[in-house]
Amino acid sequence: MCALPNAFKDRIAIYTTRVNVGLDAALPLATTRPRRLHDAMRYAVLNGGKRVRPLLVYATGECLAVEPDLLDTPAVAIELIHAFSLVHDDLPAMDDDDLRRGKPTVHKQYDEATAILAADALQPLAFSVLANLPEAPAGAAMQLVRLITDACGSTGMTGGQSIDLDAEGRDLSASELEHMYSLKTGALIHACIVSACLLRKELSSEDANALDQFGRNVGLAFQIKDDILDVEGETEVIGKPAGSDASRNKATYPALFGLDASRSRCDELVDNALENLSRFGVAAQPLEWLARYIIERGR
Ligand code: GRG
């Protein structure tokens, strides 16, 4: 992890423990039949991962003084969906990767059919978690379901993945590329921030708009940094095969515009994100740390 204050590392440890406890409790035990399926689901979710999306949920909640007990629900649900997307992303029909989080991908560890089924079962599990939201502002559970389904669907992550696969070997303009990134990666990251907003009673439209923009800026920066790590990172550190984008002739920011332009765009997006937080004062400090971490991280 990059050089960020100890207070940030402490906060990460607290938030990560919270979400890991929630994920473990939400997942069926590996001894539940069918055992291979449940074992694969647990492997897909509990095999590491930075937990950036739950961290964003908790940090936004902290900024808005939302009870952490309420935030556990979207934090767990969104991480389950993220894990689902990684299992599908790694399949031979998609990016065909053998390594994820420094370990064999789910289809390598088990088999392709089990990986597809494990991912299929993670998605309804996420919505079952959302349906059990403890006491919250009226209508919040349904709003969360709508937010997260939109973020995952054909005009969100799935649509972005479709454009991404279609764009292999093609030139895209910066705005086409950023549109694809805002769907493929940005939509779920944006949903993390908005989910905490939905759990806050009586949020002003100015505060909601500022956090909405923050979510869009960090979502885009996160994917561009992911591209940079694919070029500059080492397989042992990033936990997935370095150079995989280039070998698949993927349309990425560094491939189309170069590393310098990629770094400048990341810096610009994070500067904008920090500006979006200025109205919240010290309450936004964990979000500021996370925004910086997103572009300074080494994995
Ligand atoms: C899940 C609804 C749904 C659809 C699947 C396969 C697919 C459609 C979408 C792929 C989306 C995808 C994998 C985008 C890349 C996002 C990204 C940069 C992932 C890496 O996230 P990290 O670095 O991973 O947070 P860790 O391992 O730390 O959790």
Side-chain angles (χ1 to χ4, degrees), residues 143-160:
Q143 286 178 308
L144 281 179
V145 169
R146 214 171 292 127
L147 170 77
I148 295 170
T149 48
D150 285 350
C152 297
S154 57
T155 55
M157 179 164 40
T158 309

Side-chain angles (χ1 to χ4, degrees), residues 50 53 82 84-85 89 101 152 158 161 185 222-223:
K50 299 179 292 295
R53 292 155 191 80
H82 168 60
F84 158 36
S85 77
D89 191 51
R101 298 172 169 171
C152 297
T158 309
Q161 178 79 346
T185 307
F222 190 88
Q223 181 57 56

